[in-house]
């Protein structure tokens, strides 16, 4: 296939581009050329907000849009394309209002979420803009993505705490649940959509069983042969000041995804891959001052 991946330089978009390139597709990546490109992809240097005729010479069997954050992003990209067969938008679980009963399923009405704010409403606008222009497009709504190339300061933060033999400051009793999805499984789902006659066009994704904060941290520590010593933090202290996730527990119903992708990468294997990548790419992590806050306010 000839595939266009938007972005292609960091985490989800880069992994996606390399995944399909390794499987024999001709992969084009659309970005501004400001970061190193992957091997075996064809860069198309351009800004999706000012494409002009940049994409007009091409026909794509599939467009995998990983970097659309609002309706304008979608509209301008579609306007810039000459022709394509399938369009897949990576959206977000942030489109579900936290007031809905859980687990959230694809048939529920989406709307503003007070935790995610503008990010969520912009993703809703992006979905709506896409469906107005391409009614048969595919939309994927993942929870927290994990796995290699993750440059966000999430599991890498926990790995650093483990490497430095730090006690881990746990939000309250650590029972809050997190739902993850391995980036490789996201790509395998996209692959199923591209090569199979998939009936549904909207998919929640994620591990069917969430993991508690305490379990997740313990898994991260165990990857490097450590066992965490936990210190509980009172609820009055803002969680995001010392921990990489919001104080927000939610669960996606992923039965629809499981019908076509039942075999997922175990979370422990995903964390192993994450740590191997992190060890060799520490400089790419977008660090936040979580450890500084802990040392100055909690330790």
């Amino acid at each position: 296939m000839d595939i266009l991946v938007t972005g292609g330089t960091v985490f989800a978009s880069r992994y996606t581009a390399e995944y399909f390139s390794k499987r024999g597709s001709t992969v084009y990546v659309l970005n501004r050329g400001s970061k190193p490109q992957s091997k075996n992809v064809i860069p198309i240097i351009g800004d999706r907000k000012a494409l002009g005729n940049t994409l007009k010479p091409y026909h794509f069997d599939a467009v995998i849009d990983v970097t659309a954050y609002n309706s304008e992003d979608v509209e301008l990209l579609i306007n810039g394309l000459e022709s394509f067969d399938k369009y897949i938008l990576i959206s977000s679980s942030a489109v579900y209002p936290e007031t809905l009963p859980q687990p959230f399923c694809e048939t529920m009405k989406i709307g503003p979420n007070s935790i995610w704010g503008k990010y969520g409403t912009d993703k809703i606008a992006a979905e709506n803009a896409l469906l107005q222009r391409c009614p048969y497009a595919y939309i994927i709504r993942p929870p927290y993505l994990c796995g290699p190339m993750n440059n966000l300061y999430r599991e890498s933060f926990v790995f650093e705490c483990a490497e430095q033999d730090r006690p881990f400051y746990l939000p309250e009793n650590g029972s809050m649940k997190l739902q993850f999805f391995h980036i490789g499984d996201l790509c395998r789902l996209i692959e199923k959509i591209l090569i199979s006659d998939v009936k549904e066009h909207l998919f929640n994704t994620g591990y069917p069983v969430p993991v508690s904060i305490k379990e997740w941290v313990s898994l991260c520590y165990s990857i490097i042969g450590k066992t965490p010593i936990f210190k509980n933090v009172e609820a009055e202290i803002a969680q995001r000041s010392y921990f990489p996730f919001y104080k927000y527990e939610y669960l996606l119903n992923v039965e629809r995804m499981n019908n076509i992708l039942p075999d997922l990468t175990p979370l422990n294997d995903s964390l192993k891959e994450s740590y191997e990548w992190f060890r060799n790419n520490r400089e790419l992590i977008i660090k936040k001052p979580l450890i500084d806050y802990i040392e100055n306010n909690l330790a």
Side-chain angles (χ1 to χ4, degrees), residues 202-215:
L202 176 60
F203 291 92
N204 289 340
T205 67
Y207 291 111
V209 179
V211 62
S212 73
I213 292 174
K214 191 171 185 178
E215 291 168 333

Side-chain angles (χ1 to χ4, degrees), residues 37-235:
Q37 308 284 356
S38 296
K39 296 179 180 178
N40 301 319
V41 302
I42 303 172
I44 300 177
I45 305 303
D47 187 336
R48 69 184 294 158
K49 295 184 182 299
L51 285 170
N53 293 320
T54 302
L55 300 176
K56 295 300 183 182
Y58 303 93
H59 168 80
F60 300 107
D61 298 302
V63 174
I64 304 174
D65 194 352
V66 189
T67 60
Y69 291 100
N70 54 46
S71 58
E72 182 187 35
D73 288 343
V74 171
E75 291 279 2
L76 292 176
L77 180 62
I78 293 176
N79 289 343
L81 290 163
E82 179 66 23
S83 63
F84 60 91
D85 293 335
K86 290 185 177 181
Y87 194 119
I88 299 174
L89 173 68
I90 308 304
S91 183
S92 170
S93 58
V95 301
Y96 293 108
E98 76 277 17
T99 53
L100 289 174
Q102 296 189 33
F104 303 140
C105 65
E106 295 92 342
T107 56
M108 289 179 172
K109 186 175 181 180
I110 58 179
N113 181 300
S114 66
I115 306 298
W116 295 110
K118 187 174 184 297
Y119 173 77
T121 53
D122 280 352
K123 282 289 191 179
I124 292 171
E127 290 188 11
N128 290 337
L130 175 61
L131 293 178
Q132 287 175 5
R133 298 288 297 274
C134 308
Y136 297 104
Y138 296 85
I139 295 172
I140 298 176
R141 296 172 179 163
Y144 298 116
L145 289 171
C146 61
M149 300 190 189
N150 187 0
N151 63 328
L152 300 177
Y153 201 43
R154 291 175 177 169
E155 53 260 52
S156 56
F157 161 66
V158 186
F159 293 146
E160 283 196 336
C161 290
E163 287 179 337
Q164 298 169 21
D165 290 316
R166 293 179 175 274
F168 196 87
Y169 287 82
L170 201 64
E172 301 178 57
N173 64 1
S175 63
M176 191 187 95
K177 298 290 195 301
L178 297 169
Q179 190 174 24
F180 292 100
F181 193 47
H182 182 59
I183 181 61
D185 292 338
L186 175 65
C187 290
R188 292 197 299 124
L189 175 63
I190 295 171
E191 189 173 26
K192 292 272 189 181
I193 291 171
L194 293 181
I195 65 176
S196 306
D197 184 19
V198 176
K199 176 183 176 182
E200 305 292 350
H201 284 247
L202 176 60
F203 291 92
N204 289 340
T205 67
Y207 291 111
V209 179
V211 62
S212 73
I213 292 174
K214 191 171 185 178
E215 291 168 333
W216 177 69
V217 171
S218 296
L219 277 174
C220 289
Y221 270 66
S222 71
I223 295 301
I224 57 176
K226 303 288 183 70
T227 300
I229 296 173
F230 290 111
K231 298 200 174 192
N232 303 96
V233 181
E234 297 176 357

Side-chain angles (χ1 to χ4, degrees), residues 4-18:
L4 175 67
V5 177
T6 59
T9 58
V10 294
F11 191 26
S13 63
R14 189 181 189 97
Y15 191 103
T16 301
E18 293 188 7

